[in-house]
Amino acid sequence: DEAEIKGKVHIGSGTRVKENVEIEGPVIIGENCVLENCRIGPYVTIGTGIEIKEATFANSVVLDNSEIAIDMDITGSLLGEKVKLTHKQQQREKAKKMLLGDKTEIEL
């Protein structure tokens, strides 16, 4: 009830869409993900087992088992498997364009 989904969106089984989530298709979201207080789309593919909180994604791909918990706009990006992106300080980051390999951990 607290999420807004527009356009063509595929959400895999076991994925939980929690409060304050906006999804604008086309978007593909894999299985067993958790989305909370975030904006996804358009043109985003999210792998399986991913947790996204606070972030905004557009025109991007996030591979499996990543954790994104940062108040940031991410666009035109590819994040590899098991990427961990978190806040060091509680302030909104400026928009970033990233290409992160597997098992990358960044604290901003």
Side-chain angles (χ1 to χ4, degrees):
D1 291 335
E2 299 178 16
E4 183 178 336
I5 300 174
K6 296 186 267 183
K8 293 185 178 188
V9 176
H10 171 79
I11 299 175
S13 65
T15 291
R16 293 179 287 155
V17 179
K18 295 186 173 185
E19 64 273 354
N20 300 319
V21 174
E22 292 180 37
I23 302 173
E24 180 184 347
V27 168
I28 298 172
I29 300 170
E31 298 176 347
N32 302 315
C33 296
V34 177
L35 305 176
E36 183 175 358
N37 196 32
C38 61
R39 186 176 187 290
I40 308 295
Y43 304 105
V44 174
T45 299
I46 295 173
T48 61
I50 293 177
E51 185 173 321
I52 298 176
K53 294 181 181 176
E54 309 296 329
T56 298
F57 277 92
N59 302 304
S60 298
V61 176
V62 184
L63 299 181
D64 298 346
N65 302 309
S66 293
E67 179 185 341
I68 313 300
I70 189 166
D71 189 8
M72 176 187 290
D73 295 333
I74 300 171
T75 186
S77 299
L78 171 62
L79 280 63
E81 292 184 1
K82 299 180 182 176
V83 168
K84 185 174 183 180
L85 190 56
T86 58
H87 272 291
K88 183 175 183 179
Q89 300 175 2
Q90 293 299 325
Q91 63 185 32
R92 182 162 178 81
E93 293 291 329
K94 295 180 181 175
K96 304 275 192 238
K97 183 175 184 178
M98 295 182 248
L99 176 59
L100 303 177
D102 296 348
K103 300 180 183 178
T104 299
E105 291 189 28
I106 295 179
E107 187 177 302
L108 298 171

